[in-house]
Amino acid sequence: MVKSNPNPVTIAESATTTIVLDVAGMKCAGCVGAVEKHLLAEIGVKSACVNLLTGVAAIAAERETVTAEKLAAKLTAKGFLTQPRIVALNQNRSHQRQTKYAQASKQILWQLITAGILLGLSAVGHFTQPTTHLHHGYSALNNFWWHWGLATLAIAFPGRSILVDGWRSLWHGNPNMNTLVGLGIITSYTASVVALLLPNLGWECFFEEPVMIIGFITLGRTLEQQAKHRAANAFDRLLSLQPTSARLVSPDPDRPQEIEIPVEQVKVGEYLRVLPGEKIPTDGAIRWGETTIDESMMTGESIPVFKQLGDVVIAGTVNQSGAISIEVTRTGDDTTLAQIIALVEAAQTRKAPVQKLADTVAGYFTYGVLAIAILTFLFWYFIGIHNPSLDPSASSLTPLKAAIAVLVVACPCALGLATPTAILVGTGIGAESGLLIKGGDVLEAVYQLDTVVFDKTGTLTEGKPQVTDILTSDTISATELLRLAAAAESVTNHPLATAIQQEATRLDLHLPIILNTLTQVGLGVAAEISDHSTSAEIPVQVMVGNQRWLAARQIEINTDWQITADRLTSQGKTLVYVAIDGVMMGLIGVTDRLRSDAIKTVKQLQDMGLKVVLLTGDRQPVADLIAQQLGITDIQAEVLPQDKARIIQSLQVNQISPDLPYKVAMIGDGINDAPALAQADLGIALNAGTDIAIEVADIILIRDRLLDVVYSIQLSKATLTKIRQNLFWAAIYNLMGIPAAAGLLYWYGWGTMLSPSAAGAMMALSSVSVVTNSLLLKLTRRQQISIEN
């Protein structure tokens, strides 16, 4: 059985520093490779990792040798507008982002409308294009001049940015997907214009091709922008957990004067006052007062924690009940909240193997296609047209037609559609079934999965305390004890009190009238109750709380009660003691119950050959009990929030074959799970969880059903299979289409030269085939998974 290391992660001093840059202008995997190449070429840079989606570059560099400003200036000069990332927690960063994305939202709407119009009109062109030059008798939509006008407008407006960026990237020696797409647009448009103006050449126009390319690219870029906005907004919400101000007070509690200052100006060793309902401004230790703290933001545990003199409090957690003064121990980037943000961002910059492969290939594909087109032209110009055995014989325009056909047929439409169409269909099916899958690298991680790690609270359990046991003396019934306890607890909203009240409501119990109450934070409630349902005229004195509360009120807890309490505690239950008129009368056990489908989910994952691990910040006895019920033998208990990502990383290490790391999935719901979700090869978050966990995760269980973890793996594998089929077809298409366009079949007497219009048709056919194959995913039907035995 695996046990956790309670020591937190520390950041060791070294000769290197981490520089974070915001990089704009990256369009594809080729851009990522170019940015990394430029960074690594700088003296003093040891490593660089670039994330295309978030536009973040993380660089490990020698201290005092390389500056963020210098690297940003270099990338900007290379065509990638870059600026140093402001990593401090502040509201300005969030405000600036929100302003930027609000301005971009209107542009996104127009891009979606433009993409829809272009795709619709290009589809009309596919089905209504005349087969002869300026064929008469057709409507305006069938006229070549109409298609010329549409293509011209598409290139001049929505396509302009593609062409400009493609040319700029090529000029700087960093060809990207815009370069490839731009070549396809320009060559197909140019060939069509030549055919339109010179009908004697006998070429066919295919103006709908550049329109369709621009439409698909516009749609894809719009969806990419939206994904970036959602990710950034989630981080903004995480940043907003940090209060903007703090109340600075004197260490002397007899001097109540306080001064409100910005939280960025707080220093270690100073004293701060925190009132009920406010967030803790910094990490610190309580020096005056006592209270309960809602630490669910950090620990994922729903029950507030009682805090008193000397106890540690964490920035961003919520003070619930009492006024306290804390001594500041950590500020700014050193707080636990700041470290979680740093861990999430660092983990997100990791690359999937498929992305690394794309980074390598994308930069060379453009050069390869250009080289083949040039070689094709030269071959036919100097050799091909002089071959008298060709039937029909080659004309003087054959070299130009062949070169254009190579460029048109090699347009990366099929390659570009292979992944997004399959993902679109797969995620659509998933959404109908309660799943959300994010991207192709997610599917690859699912396919190679070895280990599944579950957070406990709110994931395997319901996240809401419930009454499980009511044990009483012989002189009172369980329902009567619960009725009196619920009445006393009605004056507080503590989660344990809420659980008792909900149980009384479930049993439809009538609560008596409360005359007087006394509440002590973190201990319990004493209430004077008048019950008109009985003949008793003397009010009943009821005390409900923990053992300390009853002991302080001189309530005797005999050996039998102590044995019973120890037994329930060993089962991982939280106990509420109830005394009536000064006599111990009963115990109420409260626990967070397992989800109804938790056991079946774990079993099915284990039946699939996956290793299942339980990860929790809860006590070891509770973790052991939960693991025993679920049939899990690998347990990581009492884990600190900053330790979770490190533990996931350790599970990824393959001691036998270090070059083949294990693929680990993490399933959680809280902010404290976010670094682990990002560190894992596959992050799965419950929709009931926090926004940041949902945004960092790769798969979201929309309907909050744990058993959907199993189906998400099944659907992901089916979708990845379609992606691989699409990529295989796209590759075979290029391997066959480019030689055919270059005239290989014509040279060996197996057919005629492939015209540019036929090449365009082949490209369209490849796109249609890829989309059709993706739509076949709809034939996949979810297996009915029953939670019944």
Side-chain angles (χ1 to χ4, degrees):
M1 187 174 293
V2 182
K3 302 297 180 182
S4 64
N5 184 354
N7 298 324
V9 176
T10 58
I11 302 174
E13 293 293 331
S14 66
T16 63
T17 184
T18 300
I19 297 174
V20 182
L21 303 175
D22 287 317
V23 185
M26 295 189 296
K27 304 299 182 183
C28 68
C31 295
V32 173
V35 171
E36 291 181 347
K37 181 180 69 175
H38 292 313
L39 291 172
L40 293 173
E42 189 70 23
I43 297 175
V45 173
K46 295 185 175 182
S47 66
C49 192
V50 180
N51 186 297
L52 175 63
L53 178 62
T54 59
V56 174
I59 304 104
E62 296 178 358
R63 293 181 183 273
E64 300 180 358
T65 302
V66 181
T67 64
E69 290 75 14
K70 182 178 180 181
L71 293 178
K74 180 176 182 178
L75 291 181
T76 299
K78 294 296 183 179
F80 301 99
L81 183 61
T82 305
Q83 61 182 5
R85 163 65 63 87
I86 301 174
V87 297
L89 293 178
N90 57 72
Q91 299 300 314
N92 289 335
R93 178 178 168 189
S94 176
H95 177 72
Q96 291 172 357
R97 280 183 172 177
Q98 293 297 333
T99 301
K100 175 183 175 181
Y101 299 142
Q103 294 174 348
S105 61
K106 294 182 180 180
Q107 181 183 358
I108 289 176
L109 177 61
W110 282 112
Q111 286 176 337
L112 285 173
I113 295 174
T114 301
I117 294 174
L118 293 179
L119 292 175
L121 294 177
S122 63
V124 172
H126 270 300
F127 293 104
T128 63
Q129 179 175 313
T131 57
T132 60
H133 179 71
L134 288 179
H135 184 75
H136 295 286
Y138 284 81
S139 65
L141 291 178
N142 298 349
N143 190 287
F144 276 125
W145 287 105
W146 157 260
H147 289 289
W148 167 80
L150 177 62
T152 302
L153 290 175
I155 291 174
F157 295 99
R160 181 176 180 273
S161 61
I162 297 174
L163 299 179
V164 171
D165 182 76
W167 167 250
R168 183 188 295 117
S169 299
L170 187 61
W171 178 260
H172 288 292
N174 308 317
N176 58 16
M177 292 304 290
N178 274 351
T179 307
L180 294 175
V181 172
L183 285 172
I185 292 172
I186 290 299
T187 53
S188 58
Y189 177 81
T190 301
S192 297
V193 169
V194 171
L196 184 64
L197 299 178
L198 302 174
N200 293 333
L201 293 178
W203 295 6
E204 295 182 6
C205 295
F206 41 97
F207 284 115
E208 73 280 357
E209 288 302 330
V211 177
M212 183 172 63
I213 295 170
I214 293 172
F216 274 120
I217 294 300
T218 302
L219 179 61
R221 295 287 162 78
T222 302
L223 297 177
E224 179 183 334
Q225 281 181 290
Q226 290 178 318
K228 290 180 179 180
H229 294 180
R230 287 194 299 269
N233 286 337
F235 279 104
D236 290 336
R237 287 190 290 270
L238 181 58
L239 290 174
S240 68
L241 293 174
Q242 178 83 1
T244 58
S245 61
R247 290 187 178 89
L248 184 64
V249 296
S250 169
D252 185 357
D254 295 330
R255 300 173 60 187
Q257 293 82 4
E258 60 186 40
I259 301 174
E260 188 169 304
I261 63 173
V263 72
E264 292 87 355
Q265 298 180 8
V266 174
K267 297 180 180 179
V268 173
E270 293 182 329
Y271 279 63
L272 304 176
R273 176 71 52 80
V274 186
L275 301 179
E278 295 181 342
K279 295 176 182 177
I280 307 296
T282 67
D283 290 0
I286 294 180
R287 295 293 180 246
W288 178 85
E290 60 183 27
T291 186
T292 53
I293 302 290
D294 179 4
E295 295 185 341
S296 59
M297 180 274 293
M298 300 298 300
T299 66
E301 305 301 327
S302 57
I303 299 177
V305 181
F306 174 67
K307 299 283 185 176
Q308 56 186 347
L309 183 65
D311 288 343
V312 174
V313 294
I314 302 172
T317 57
V318 180
N319 178 24
Q320 283 201 327
S321 50
I324 57 174
S325 291
I326 66 171
E327 181 181 358
V328 178
T329 56
R330 289 188 293 184
T331 63
D333 294 340
D334 294 328
T335 64
T336 304
L337 178 60
Q339 289 178 356
I340 285 181
I341 293 175
L343 286 170
V344 171
E345 290 190 313
Q348 279 190 322
T349 57
R350 294 181 300 111
K351 291 178 180 290
V354 66
Q355 182 181 346
K356 292 181 179 180
L357 178 61
D359 291 348
T360 303
V361 173
Y364 299 101
F365 187 63
T366 301
Y367 293 130
V369 172
L370 282 172
I372 293 173
I374 292 172
L375 290 175
T376 298
F377 179 85
L378 294 176
F379 173 82
W380 283 103
Y381 186 81
F382 289 105
I383 299 176
I385 61 175
H386 304 295
N387 186 353
S389 62
L390 291 176
D391 185 23
S393 60
S395 69
S396 59
L397 291 178
T398 297
L400 179 60
K401 292 172 62 178
I404 293 176
V406 167
L407 290 172
V408 174
V409 83
C411 184
C413 235
L415 288 170
L417 290 172
T419 297
T421 53
I423 292 176
L424 182 64
V425 176
T427 52
I429 296 172
E432 294 175 355
S433 304
L435 306 174
L436 177 60
I437 304 170
K438 297 180 179 179
D441 55 337
V442 175
L443 306 174
E444 181 180 2
V446 171
Y447 206 83
Q448 301 172 349
L449 207 58
D450 301 297
T451 305
V452 176
V453 180
F454 280 98
D455 172 58
K456 181 185 75 69
T457 303
T459 303
L460 287 170
T461 63
E462 295 177 352
K464 298 178 180 179
Q466 294 180 330
V467 173
T468 58
D469 301 88
I470 303 177
L471 303 176
T472 68
S473 66
D474 296 336
T475 59
I476 191 172
S477 67
T479 54
E480 181 64 15
L481 182 81
L482 177 64
R483 196 170 69 90
L484 294 175
E489 294 278 39
S490 64
V491 298
T492 177
N493 60 356
H494 189 281
L496 294 181
T498 301
I500 293 174
Q501 295 170 56
Q502 288 177 344
E503 182 66 10
T505 301
R506 187 184 70 84
L507 297 176
D508 196 24
L509 300 182
H510 175 71
L511 301 186
I513 299 173
I514 301 174
L515 301 179
N516 295 296
T517 62
L518 172 65
T519 303
Q520 188 164 347
V521 177
L523 293 176
V525 177
E528 185 178 4
I529 296 175
S530 176
D531 189 359
H532 294 295
S533 64
T534 67
S535 58
E537 298 181 358
I538 301 176
V540 178
Q541 305 293 329
V542 180
M543 281 176 284
V544 183
N546 59 25
Q547 189 174 10
R548 286 177 53 200
W549 172 241
L550 268 67
R553 312 291 290 186
Q554 287 79 47
I555 303 299
E556 180 183 357
I557 301 175
N558 60 34
T559 303
D560 291 339
W561 282 119
Q562 191 62 55
I563 293 174
T564 302
D566 291 342
R567 176 174 58 83
L568 292 176
T569 301
S570 67
Q571 296 174 0
K573 298 175 181 178
T574 301
L575 298 184
V576 177
Y577 292 73
V578 182
I580 299 176
D581 290 334
V583 179
M584 175 69 183
M585 299 296 288
L587 288 171
I588 299 177
V590 180
T591 190
D592 192 3
R593 293 177 179 174
L594 280 176
R595 289 176 179 264
S596 59
D597 54 353
I599 295 176
K600 194 171 188 68
T601 298
V602 171
K603 184 177 184 304
Q604 290 199 11
L605 291 173
Q606 291 171 335
D607 290 343
M608 295 169 66
L610 299 173
K611 174 184 177 182
V612 180
V613 178
L614 175 63
L615 181 63
T616 179
D618 215 332
R619 296 168 294 154
Q620 190 70 51
V622 177
D624 291 339
L625 177 65
I626 294 293
Q628 182 180 7
Q629 295 174 350
L630 295 170
I632 299 175
T633 57
D634 294 285
I635 305 171
Q636 299 277 0
E638 301 179 20
V639 179
L640 297 175
Q642 60 266 34
D643 274 339
K644 290 190 174 184
R646 178 184 58 78
I647 291 173
I648 295 295
Q649 189 175 25
S650 68
L651 292 171
Q652 292 170 323
V653 176
N654 187 340
Q655 299 290 349
I656 300 177
S657 302
D659 295 335
L660 297 173
Y662 293 121
K663 299 297 181 181
V664 178
M666 170 67 188
I667 304 171
D669 69 326
I671 287 180
N672 62 305
D673 299 323
L677 288 168
Q679 173 64 41
D681 300 282
L682 177 70
I684 301 178
L686 303 181
N687 193 45
T690 60
D691 290 340
I692 182 63
I694 291 174
E695 292 297 337
V696 170
D698 304 300
I699 296 179
I700 312 301
L701 307 185
I702 299 174
R703 297 183 184 174
D704 202 23
R705 296 182 303 197
L706 195 60
L707 202 54
D708 281 342
V709 171
V710 177
Y711 179 51
S712 70
I713 294 176
Q714 295 171 345
L715 181 60
S716 296
K717 288 184 176 181
T719 307
L720 181 62
T721 298
K722 286 299 177 187
I723 289 177
R724 289 180 171 178
Q725 291 173 355
N726 290 345
L727 291 173
F728 174 78
W729 161 246
I732 291 297
Y733 155 76
N734 279 288
L735 290 175
M736 296 177 60
I738 292 176
L744 183 64
L745 300 179
Y746 179 41
W747 178 259
Y748 285 103
W750 294 346
T752 59
M753 180 68 70
L754 189 68
S755 68
S757 58
M762 285 185 61
M763 183 192 67
L765 178 62
S766 68
S767 302
V768 172
S769 299
V770 165
V771 175
T772 301
N773 188 50
S774 298
L775 291 174
L776 292 177
L777 266 174
K778 294 197 173 213
L779 298 178
T780 303
R781 291 293 181 263
R782 177 178 183 175
Q783 298 177 354
Q784 296 298 324
I785 304 175
S786 174
I787 62 175
E788 302 293 335
N789 292 331

